[in-house]
């Protein structure tokens, strides 16, 4: 069921077997894993069913490092979380991403790809992705030649897109009708309260913006917030532990990572159609596959670089026929038609170039490819991994939000590894494009990448917040262990991108969901194993009570 905390009495205490904090993609996925079980699940969500400006203001924070728009604009407090504004792009991490790399400080996961692979399969079903089809096979289906780079330098891979990325609408009915799952809206968790030894969570405190308070008690608690909010909540929960829950070694909030977004201007090509054929998205049975150009693992190792991949962008002017048609298509599909005047303008722009319009329609409906303009500028948009850095971190501001919680302060830092990677990547692209005769890039435009200070002007954040409660088997190097359990606390888990030790350059959602399902499986197993023990205790208690009654009866008869 889905209820609103405003409907509860002030001071209400809600109990369940499992308490999930956050109803974004992570929280909803964990909850779904308990559907149809005998276990009661409570999901506490800060926002409502829709995005509310007053709730969004709780995301306001302080930026003291590099500019970081995502601290506010990249987070959403609503049922569905950030998926309400997510395009749906996903990509698995590879085996290489889980390995320790000697040239990348603090790299390496305590689990392998083999450990998480079965959960990737299940996560992709939650996302309703199409089958994992290699780039070369997609080209063969389309009857085109793939781009064949020197595999040591570059390789082609494809991201997959969820056809129904908004979890708030996709899974609302399922959770509303669930008998064992209670989603409580406008329930802001402001404190995690442990016992005095800080070894067990006893309850969490809840507040609304209107001032109503309450508590939730469970056997297990799972933090399913993002990379910023998960750290903020732990740090703010300082009633028992002065520096926050799970923060004995000053690790909570450190190693904050975000994929570095770099925009490379103007790829020059004399073979635009060939480039479009090779780099435009494919559609198979309604599922989208987007080609990516990734830096080869051998080059990364030899030149000591981090992960990076890029997407070729065929730019559309805002008033072009293609742009207008795509805007109309999204509006009709999303049932969000623009005002009448804007609608007329879009229709007019769509019909301004009938030839191009028909070409795009044929491209999409018949050839099952994305339609892009026949002319215009070509760009390369890249996502670069950020090396884990303990000084890139989330701390607490002295400014408090309307709930009385200290706001997040973000100090985002990128360094030399990222700069060298961004520089080497575009030079490799230029070299390989020239070798294949498909285009060129004026490296004078990349001169800023050689300037250790100026290059960060090309780097922006990408709303992929990771690393602040990192996973490590040692409590001196990580906040959670390989099972995502907070070190030293027997009933607190974190299922979030915040546990990523390193990020690769893959879009993180599918990895988050894989970890969520893995955590859910563990808790179901622990709950099942605890049931027989509890049943035995209950039987012994009843038997003991009956024995006492018999003894009292016998004493009375004497």
């Amino acid at each position: 069921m889905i209820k609103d905390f405003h409907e509860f009495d002030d001071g209400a205490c809600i109990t369940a077997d499992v308490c999930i904090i956050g109803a974004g993609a992570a929280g909803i996925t964990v909850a779904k894993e308990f559907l149809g079980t005998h276990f009661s699940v409570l999901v506490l969500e800060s926002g409502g069913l829709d995005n509310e400006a007053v709730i969004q203001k709780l995301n306001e924070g302080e930026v003291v490092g590099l500019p970081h728009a995502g601290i506010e604009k990249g987070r959403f407090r609503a049922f569905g979380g950030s998926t309400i504004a997510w395009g749906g792009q996903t990509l698995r991490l590879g085996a290489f991403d889980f390995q320790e790399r000697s040239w990348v400080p603090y790299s390496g996961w305590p689990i392998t790809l083999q450990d998480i692979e079965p959960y990737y399969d299940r996560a992709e079903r939650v996302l309703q992705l199409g089958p994992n089809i290699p780039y070369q096979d997609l080209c063969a289906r389309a009857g085109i030649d793939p781009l064949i780079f020197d595999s040591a330098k570059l390789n082609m891979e494809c991201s997959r897109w969820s056809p129904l990325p908004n979890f708030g609408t996709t899974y609302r009915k399922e959770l509303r009708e669930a008998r064992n799952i209670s989603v409580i809206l406008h329930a802001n968790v402001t404190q995690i309260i442990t016992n005095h030894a800080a070894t067990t969570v006893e309850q969490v405190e809840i507040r609304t913006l209107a001032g109503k308070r309450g508590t939730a008690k469970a056997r297990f608690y799972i933090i399913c917030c993002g990379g910023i909010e998960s750290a903020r909540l732990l740090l703010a929960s300082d009633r028992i532990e002065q520096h926050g829950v799970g923060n004995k070694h000053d690790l909570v909030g450190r190693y904050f990572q975000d994929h570095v977004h770099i925009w490379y201007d103007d790829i020059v090509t004399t073979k635009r159609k060939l480039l479009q054929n090779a780099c435009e998205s494919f559609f198979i049975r309604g599922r989208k596959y987007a080609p990516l150009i990734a830096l080869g693992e051998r080059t990364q190792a030899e030149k000591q670089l981090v992960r990076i991949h890029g997407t070729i962008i065929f730019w559309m002017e805002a008033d072009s026929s293609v742009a207008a048609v795509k805007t109309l298509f999204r509006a009709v599909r999303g049932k969000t038609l623009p005002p009448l005047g804007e609608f007329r303008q879009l229709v007019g722009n769509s019909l301004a170039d009938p030839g191009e319009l028909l070409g795009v329609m044929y491209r999409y409906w018949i050839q099952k490819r994305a339609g892009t303009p026949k002319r215009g500028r070509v760009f390369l948009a890249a996502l670069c991994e950020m090396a884990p850095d303990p000084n890139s971190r989330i701390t607490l501001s002295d400014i408090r939000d309307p709930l009385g919680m200290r706001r997040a302060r973000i100090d985002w830092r990128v360094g030399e590894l990222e700069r060298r990677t961004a520089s080497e990547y575009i030079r490799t692209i230029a070299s390989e494009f020239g070798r294949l005769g498909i285009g060129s890039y004026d490296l004078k435009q990349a001169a800023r990448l050689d300037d250790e200070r100026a290059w960060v002007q090309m780097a922006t954040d990408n709303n992929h917040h990771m690393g602040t409660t990192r996973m490590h088997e040692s409590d001196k190097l990580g906040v959670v262990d390989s099972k995502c359990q907070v070190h030293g606390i027997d009933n607190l888990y974190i299922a979030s991108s915040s546990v990523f030790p390193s990020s690769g350059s893959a879009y993180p959602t599918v990895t988050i969901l894989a970890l969520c399902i893995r955590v859910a499986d563990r808790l179901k197993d622990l709950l099942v194993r605890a049931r027989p023990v509890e049943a035995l205790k209950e039987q012994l208690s009843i038997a003991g009570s009956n024995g006492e009654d018999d003894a009292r009866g016998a004493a009375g008869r004497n």
Side-chain angles (χ1 to χ4, degrees), residues 65-66 256 260 386-387 389 391-393 411-415 418:
L66 291 174
F256 174 73
V260 183
M386 182 182 155
D389 177 358
N391 295 314
S392 180
R393 65 186 302 195
D411 186 356
W412 184 47
R413 304 186 184 191
V414 294
E418 294 84 3

Side-chain angles (χ1 to χ4, degrees), residues 359-397:
V360 169
M361 293 175 66
Y362 177 81
R363 183 78 164 154
Y364 179 75
W365 293 108
I366 305 301
Q367 295 183 324
K368 305 300 182 185
R369 301 297 305 277
T372 55
K374 296 178 181 177
R375 60 192 69 84
R377 300 172 71 184
V378 181
F379 300 99
L380 177 66
L383 281 190
C384 182
E385 176 184 13
M386 182 182 155
D389 177 358
N391 295 314
S392 180
R393 65 186 302 195
I394 303 296
T395 54
L396 296 179
S397 169

Side-chain angles (χ1 to χ4, degrees), residues 204-396:
V204 297
E205 294 185 353
I206 308 166
R207 288 193 64 179
T208 68
L209 286 175
K212 185 172 289 186
R213 297 171 182 264
T215 56
K217 296 185 177 182
R219 298 161 73 182
F220 292 101
Y221 300 80
I222 313 171
I223 299 174
C224 291
C225 307
I228 296 174
E229 197 65 18
S230 294
R232 180 192 180 212
L233 178 58
L234 290 174
L235 291 170
S237 299
D238 57 1
R239 197 167 300 170
I240 304 298
E241 292 281 279
Q242 180 182 359
H243 301 294
V245 169
N247 197 30
K248 285 184 172 65
H249 298 287
D250 189 28
L251 292 172
V252 172
R254 292 189 182 274
Y255 302 97
F256 174 73
Q257 298 157 61
D258 196 337
H259 286 133
V260 183
H261 187 273
I262 303 161
W263 189 267
Y264 299 100
D265 290 342
D266 292 317
I267 300 288
V268 178
T269 178
T270 56
K271 297 182 178 179
R272 185 184 181 93
K273 186 174 181 180
L274 186 152
L275 197 59
Q276 285 176 305
N277 274 338
C279 296
E280 285 179 342
S281 295
F282 300 83
F283 292 88
I284 306 293
R285 296 180 180 176
R287 301 299 195 268
K288 181 178 176 179
Y289 298 77
L292 307 169
I293 307 175
L295 190 66
E297 292 177 5
R298 181 173 162 185
T299 295
Q300 291 175 58
E302 289 178 350
K303 300 194 175 184
Q304 299 196 338
L305 307 171
V306 290
R307 284 282 200 190
I308 188 169
H309 71 246
T311 305
I312 297 293
I313 305 293
F314 300 94
W315 189 253
M316 293 179 287
E317 297 299 332
D319 59 353
S320 71
S321 294
V322 177
V325 168
K326 289 193 171 187
T327 301
L328 281 173
F329 176 76
R330 294 190 191 105
V332 171
R333 185 178 61 178
K335 299 178 181 179
T336 54
L337 290 178
L340 183 59
E342 184 180 342
F343 180 78
R344 285 174 175 168
Q345 182 69 44
L346 287 170
V347 172
N349 289 345
S350 299
L351 300 175
D353 189 339
E356 186 167 44
L357 175 60
L358 289 172
V360 169
M361 293 175 66
Y362 177 81
R363 183 78 164 154
Y364 179 75
W365 293 108
I366 305 301
Q367 295 183 324
K368 305 300 182 185
R369 301 297 305 277
T372 55
K374 296 178 181 177
R375 60 192 69 84
R377 300 172 71 184
V378 181
F379 300 99
L380 177 66
L383 281 190
C384 182
E385 176 184 13
M386 182 182 155
D389 177 358
N391 295 314
S392 180
R393 65 186 302 195
I394 303 296
T395 54
L396 296 179

Side-chain angles (χ1 to χ4, degrees), residues 24-42:
I28 289 173
T29 297
V30 174
K32 276 174 53 61
E33 289 299 309
F34 284 89
L35 284 168
T37 69
H38 297 295
F39 306 117
S40 57
V41 175
L42 175 66

Side-chain angles (χ1 to χ4, degrees), residues 496-545:
S496 162
S497 54
S498 66
V499 307
F500 289 18
S502 57
S503 63
S505 59
Y507 306 95
T509 303
V510 70
T511 302
I512 297 170
L513 302 197
L515 292 172
C516 286
I517 295 168
R518 189 168 177 260
V519 168
D521 276 5
R522 174 169 172 76
L523 294 191
K524 283 186 287 185
D525 181 57
L526 291 174
L527 287 165
V528 166
R529 280 192 280 165
R531 278 286 166 94
V533 175
E534 291 173 354
L536 179 60
K537 286 181 179 177
E538 187 175 343
Q539 290 172 8
L540 290 172
S541 176
I542 294 170
S545 298

Side-chain angles (χ1 to χ4, degrees), residues 411-431:
D411 186 356
W412 184 47
R413 304 186 184 191
V414 294
E416 180 65 6
L417 261 177
E418 294 84 3
R419 184 197 66 77
R420 287 198 302 105
T421 299
S423 179
E424 185 63 33
Y425 178 64
I426 192 59
R427 284 168 169 76
T428 305
I429 290 281
S431 172

